[in-house]
Amino acid sequence: MANSIGLLILLSLLAFAPLCLCSKKAGGYLYPQFYYHSCPRAQEIVYSIVAKAVAKEPRMAASLLRLHFHDCFVKGCDASILLDSSGTIISEKRSNPNRNSARGFEVIDEIKSALEKECPHTVSCADILALAARDSTILTGGPSWEVPLGRRDSLGASLSGSNNNIPAPNNTFQTILTKFKLQGLDIVDLVALSGSHTIGNSRCTSFRQRLYNQTGNGKADFTLDQYYASQLRTRCPRSGGDQNLFFLDFVSPIKFDNSYFKNILAYKGLLNSDQVLLTMNQVSAELVKKYAERNDLFFEQFAKSMVKMGNISPLTGSRGEIRKNCRKIKTY
């Protein structure tokens, strides 16, 4: 009798359990419905503030997308990139990949402030980054996806991790692929996520060597269209102009589409890390061709790869914390 009552209780609990399409990673479960009860307007608030920021400055979409990427590749998707230096923390904002280029922090601050008013001590900064990246993609014409949620915020940062783990524009193809594989991402994810370069800008300092001294012999990169290279040289001189900005996709720089891949096929990928997708690996070259031909396939894979990237080592349960201010850990 006791056994059958126990079974009935168990079955009734299962019947009322929320449907959860969860993805299990080392850190625990993330699922899209995480804030449905604790902060039902969370996603709406994030979207409205991102929309306002992107309307004011279209470049902000790429900046917010990049913040999520640079966060996840260092200690997992835990908002460590948002921490300012203080006490024992040396900010990741000082690292080579982020110094003078990571931006959008004020937009994240505005979102966090609005969410703290709506539902205090509930929505993590790490989840804000994941949602802002998705919304930035949608607002520029790209695909949408359900963002698994439930990440918590880190209690520290890693300057060395930021310097070593984030792929650099002048890394070899193999180095870039290795950095992706260390995060549990594969060659398909690498090519699809590189497609985020369909929006945004890059600094002259990030590709100068391609224009003047690619292999140390004082010559330009032969895999770069020479007419395009001459246009780039007008605003990216041999010395000076380090911070001058150039569109990563000069065809449709504020529209999320597959022009990026078409540019690579025409040998007009701006960064070395873009062009090597075609020239240094047969599998990635085939993917470039496929996405250049089929925008729908690119969108479909980009959404899948963003969910996969967003699942890198999240802090869940009682690990980490929910910061009140995304720039600093709480002092208890």
Side-chain angles (χ1 to χ4, degrees):
M1 181 71 178
N3 282 349
S4 60
I5 291 171
L7 181 61
L8 281 170
I9 291 170
L10 177 62
L11 288 172
S12 65
L13 284 172
L14 287 173
F16 289 100
L19 176 65
C20 169
L21 302 172
C22 305
S23 44
K24 179 98 169 68
K25 278 296 193 187
Y29 288 104
L30 302 178
Y31 55 98
Q33 303 87 353
F34 190 83
Y35 297 112
Y36 271 21
H37 300 296
S38 60
C39 194
R41 290 187 61 237
Q43 297 204 38
E44 179 190 331
I45 289 168
V46 174
Y47 185 87
S48 65
I49 295 173
V50 173
K52 186 179 72 173
V54 172
K56 184 179 173 187
E57 185 196 7
R59 181 187 171 204
M60 188 53 70
S63 298
L64 293 171
L65 188 51
R66 186 170 183 256
L67 276 185
H68 182 44
F69 177 78
H70 282 210
D71 178 40
C72 290
F73 267 62
V74 184
K75 304 196 314 89
C77 308
D78 61 2
S80 60
I81 192 172
L82 302 178
L83 290 170
D84 288 337
S85 293
S86 66
T88 57
I89 293 169
I90 302 172
S91 177
E92 292 169 19
K93 296 172 186 178
R94 294 184 181 184
S95 71
N96 291 328
N98 294 328
R99 193 172 58 246
N100 298 323
S101 66
R103 57 197 298 279
F105 300 108
E106 296 78 12
V107 178
I108 302 299
D109 291 340
E110 187 182 345
I111 295 169
K112 182 60 175 168
S113 177
L115 287 170
E116 283 299 312
K117 285 195 187 89
E118 176 79 12
C119 32
H121 192 59
T122 302
V123 182
S124 69
C125 301
D127 278 345
I128 291 171
L129 284 174
L131 288 168
R134 188 270 311 272
D135 295 345
S136 294
T137 304
I138 296 169
L139 286 159
T140 46
S144 179
W145 60 91
E146 275 202 304
V147 179
L149 299 164
R151 300 166 189 80
R152 287 166 64 86
D153 301 324
S154 73
L155 298 169
S158 175
L159 182 66
S160 62
S162 189
N163 276 321
N164 297 324
N165 298 354
I166 297 170
N170 59 352
N171 280 160
T172 64
F173 176 86
Q174 196 51 53
T175 298
I176 296 167
L177 182 59
T178 298
K179 288 180 178 182
F180 268 73
K181 284 183 173 175
L182 286 171
Q183 306 298 343
L185 301 173
D186 60 27
I187 196 165
V188 177
D189 301 312
L190 164 57
V191 179
L193 292 173
S194 294
S196 63
H197 286 180
T198 178
I199 54 174
N201 297 264
S202 183
R203 297 172 297 152
C204 164
T205 185
S206 297
F207 60 87
R208 175 184 281 122
Q209 77 177 62
R210 296 192 73 202
L211 303 179
Y212 300 101
N213 191 23
Q214 174 70 347
T215 57
N217 62 359
K219 292 183 178 174
D221 184 351
F222 70 91
T223 67
L224 183 63
D225 177 85
Q226 293 309 299
Y227 177 68
Y228 181 46
S230 66
Q231 287 180 305
L232 295 172
R233 285 190 201 99
T234 61
R235 288 188 52 249
C236 186
R238 202 177 282 271
S239 63
D242 283 11
Q243 305 304 316
N244 289 353
L245 292 174
F246 296 77
F247 292 129
L248 283 159
D249 168 7
F250 67 92
V251 174
S252 52
I254 59 172
K255 187 173 190 303
F256 199 102
D257 58 21
N258 65 341
S259 295
Y260 166 80
F261 296 105
K262 294 175 182 176
N263 294 340
I264 291 175
L265 289 181
Y267 295 93
K268 293 177 181 176
L270 183 63
L271 305 178
N272 189 68
S273 55
D274 297 325
Q275 199 59 55
V276 293
L277 298 179
L278 180 69
T279 58
M280 300 306 290
N281 182 280
Q282 194 172 351
V283 175
S284 66
E286 288 306 314
L287 288 166
V288 167
K289 290 170 190 168
K290 185 167 84 167
Y291 298 150
E293 192 176 313
R294 295 273 306 274
N295 193 63
D296 60 325
L297 292 179
F298 164 47
F299 276 22
E300 184 185 332
Q301 186 57 53
F302 185 80
K304 286 180 186 170
S305 294
M306 283 297 290
V307 170
K308 193 171 169 186
M309 184 184 80
N311 273 324
I312 298 172
S313 307
L315 297 172
T316 57
S318 59
R319 298 167 65 209
E321 65 174 14
I322 306 294
R323 291 183 212 142
K324 185 175 180 181
N325 177 340
C326 290
R327 293 173 180 264
K328 54 188 181 184
I329 59 172
K330 290 193 302 192
T331 49
Y332 295 93

